[in-house]
Amino acid sequence: MQSSTIDVVLGPLYWFLELWSALLFAVARVTGLELLQYSFMHRAILVGLCIGVMAPLIGTFLVHRQLALIGDALAHTAFAGVAVGLFLNAVLELGVSPYLTAVVVAVIAALFIELISEATDAYNDVSMAIVLSTGFALGTTLISINAGGLAVGVNQYLFGNLSTVSAENAAILLVLFGNIVATVALTRNQLLYVTFDETAAEVSGLSVSWYNRVMVMLTALVVVGAMQIMGVILVAAMLVVPVAGATQVSRSFSESILVSVVLAELSVLLGIGVAYYGQATAGGVIVLVAVGLYVLAVVFGKVQTRLGEDSTPELDAIDATDAEARGD
């Protein structure tokens, strides 16, 4: 009953997925690309494209706030959410998607990170460590119980799997993607203010604690969405690595977001292609490609800086030239 209700709610998105699949089938006929001849790859590519936008979009704020490790904490609690969903399906036969329970648990965990920091005056890394260990402990405990075969197929949640991206999970990801992009678009200025000067933002009347909670909840949604193909272990990399690369070559915050999205999209598309033809784990290949692009961005940034320094004459040289021109 609950599954049919979810299907009705996600109906328009299923229709969109069919159109997307038809488009990629047409591209496959024209190009002859083998990976575009399968519906599961169509869904995996769409999920990857969405991750390539929303992960660096949120990750840019996190990196500048020195909260890069929050992705790891929420990924482990999202794994606990998956375990809760599998457990409920096995014991109560609810038929609920584990990714939906992962969303709920990850958002609750994100709020707990903020609440622990506010209530105990603990540093963010302390609250993140507490939530990370608690979440992973809960997940492993439920998996070890093995009720109804919970341990079966758990690797797909740890390492990600292109072939297990179902139409329902892809539709859920599209809902998360829409909410994340819309929220950032509406609150960008406030989030930017809180990110770079929290004290001034509070003095100006902004509710800093509220926007902090918004940020961690958005991070939780990104983590759950990216977990489908990245897995719990590697999901945090997409929040950090493309952003770190973008900061090497960007001159403004907005430019950093754009460049990080480009780097993330390249990482996802190249990673999925290499993983498919090389029969490797997609999450690992995507991260390796992202790290490779980061190295290239660092080199390019260093060369760009060096060329800028070489093109700028030194003040001593200017003074000497002026002196010669005056005949001194």
Side-chain angles (χ1 to χ4, degrees), residues 277-315:
Y277 288 108
Q279 297 183 348
T281 302
V285 178
I286 290 171
V287 172
L288 289 176
V289 173
V291 172
L293 292 175
Y294 166 74
V295 173
L296 291 177
V298 171
V299 173
F300 181 80
K302 296 295 184 183
V303 171
Q304 191 178 41
T305 302
R306 185 63 179 269
L307 291 175
E309 291 175 351
D310 292 343
S311 63
T312 303
E314 297 181 3
L315 292 178

